[in-house]
Amino acid sequence: VNGIVSFGDMVVPYQDKITLDGKLVQGWEKMNGLIQPQVTSSEKTKGSTVTPNFEYVKYYKPRGVICTTDQRIKGNIVDALTKHSGYRPKHRVYPVGRLDKDSSGLILLTSDGRLPNASLRREQKQPKVYRVRVDRPIGDDDLKSLRSGITITTVAQRDGKSKPLTAPTKPCIVTLLSPRDVEIVLEEGRNRQIRKMMAALGYEVLLLHRVRFGNISLDRDMCDGDWKVLNMEELQWITSILEESPED
């Protein structure tokens, strides 16, 4: 893809160049039913980057669903969406980021290969809001520790390899909702971060639920397994993220 050896990576139709054994693959977009968008001069002026070729949906992920597109894995998110929730994507869609199997709530899915990198890259990480319930009342000192940062060990991907990373978490907003419930706003996204932060303080997470990602939230009428196509306001936010993303 664009001169780089790739394995199952997402590509952008009519922008990325695909080669196989050194030969340019032409016409793959039309073979997959993708129509090249006609951009008017006014759209160019506005810098519109969201096109009808791409799909953008928000999904209320139930607990037990795994954020993988590998349909050989039982409980994968593709089967959950298409077989149980009735979503029929025209193109292959991918989750933007992850929620672990035991967590629930908002996750975005898209066929736009630019969005995961644009929204998750280090300089453009978007705030994510979680509701968390633990097994006992949270003390004031522990709330301060959660807000200022806690040293945890997570697995980080570097140069295609998994490496352990032991470092303090970045300061975050933590609001006490009840003795055992908090709302946490994170901008970093280390693996199982909230669960490990709580475990470091001696708490067990009983419920972990994401309610917002950037400017996109679960609607009040959404329940486990529900999905919705993003509305115009949400798509405008997606456009702003893509436009602000630096060219690679």
Side-chain angles (χ1 to χ4, degrees):
V1 179
N2 300 323
I4 301 174
V5 177
S6 303
F7 300 92
D9 292 339
M10 290 176 280
V11 295
V12 181
Y14 297 103
Q15 292 188 33
D16 289 335
K17 293 183 178 180
I18 313 299
T19 56
L20 180 63
D21 296 332
K23 296 181 179 180
L24 181 65
V25 179
Q26 295 180 320
W28 64 269
E29 296 96 342
K30 290 184 178 179
M31 290 172 61
N32 286 276
L34 299 174
I35 302 173
Q36 186 167 14
Q38 300 297 317
V39 181
T40 65
S41 58
S42 61
E43 286 175 326
K44 289 179 181 178
T45 302
K46 294 177 182 177
S48 175
T49 54
V50 173
T51 78
N53 277 333
F54 298 126
E55 298 178 58
Y56 308 87
V57 298
K58 57 184 178 183
Y59 175 53
Y60 191 133
K61 186 189 92 66
R63 295 177 70 178
V65 172
I66 303 172
C67 288
T68 178
T69 58
D70 187 345
Q71 291 180 269
R72 295 170 298 180
I73 297 176
K74 185 178 180 180
N76 69 82
I77 196 169
V78 175
D79 284 348
L81 261 171
T82 58
K83 295 181 180 180
H84 304 300
S85 296
Y87 177 51
R88 295 291 181 265
K90 297 179 182 178
H91 317 299
R92 188 175 182 183
V93 293
Y94 302 83
V96 179
R98 300 177 65 86
L99 277 177
D100 65 47
K101 181 179 179 180
D102 294 326
S103 300
S104 63
L106 173 67
I107 190 159
L108 304 181
L109 293 105
T110 183
S111 59
D112 187 344
R114 303 167 297 174
L115 183 56
N117 286 335
S119 61
L120 299 174
R121 66 170 68 236
R122 183 172 301 174
E123 65 273 19
Q124 275 193 284
K125 282 187 178 295
Q126 302 302 314
K128 298 173 284 291
V129 181
Y130 299 86
R131 301 279 170 82
V132 185
R133 173 169 294 175
V134 295
D135 59 336
R136 59 187 176 87
I138 304 173
D140 291 340
D141 289 343
D142 289 338
L143 284 173
K144 292 178 182 178
S145 297
L146 290 169
R147 290 167 179 148
S148 60
I150 296 175
T151 298
I152 60 174
T153 299
T154 54
V155 176
Q157 295 291 331
R158 295 287 186 275
D159 301 322
K161 298 180 180 179
S162 297
K163 298 180 180 179
L165 171 66
T166 300
T169 58
K170 294 182 179 179
C172 61
I173 299 172
V174 180
T175 304
L176 187 66
L177 303 177
S178 77
R180 297 192 298 131
D181 295 276
V182 290
E183 180 177 271
I184 300 179
V185 182
L186 296 181
E187 288 196 1
E188 61 180 336
R190 296 168 63 181
N191 182 253
R192 299 179 69 85
Q193 178 173 336
I194 291 176
R195 295 182 185 276
K196 291 187 176 184
M197 290 170 67
M198 289 298 188
L201 296 174
Y203 297 93
E204 179 184 358
V205 173
L206 303 179
L207 294 173
L208 200 161
H209 179 73
R210 183 157 70 191
V211 296
R212 183 164 65 86
F213 178 89
N215 284 10
I216 299 176
S217 302
L218 287 174
D219 296 343
R220 291 185 178 182
D221 62 346
M222 294 181 71
C223 301
D224 269 6
D226 287 349
W227 61 273
K228 288 187 178 182
V229 174
L230 297 192
N231 61 36
M232 186 58 64
E233 183 177 345
E234 292 166 336
L235 288 174
Q236 287 173 350
W237 177 75
I238 295 293
T239 294
S240 71
I241 293 299
L242 294 174
E243 290 178 346
E244 291 170 7
S245 179
E247 295 290 338
D248 291 327

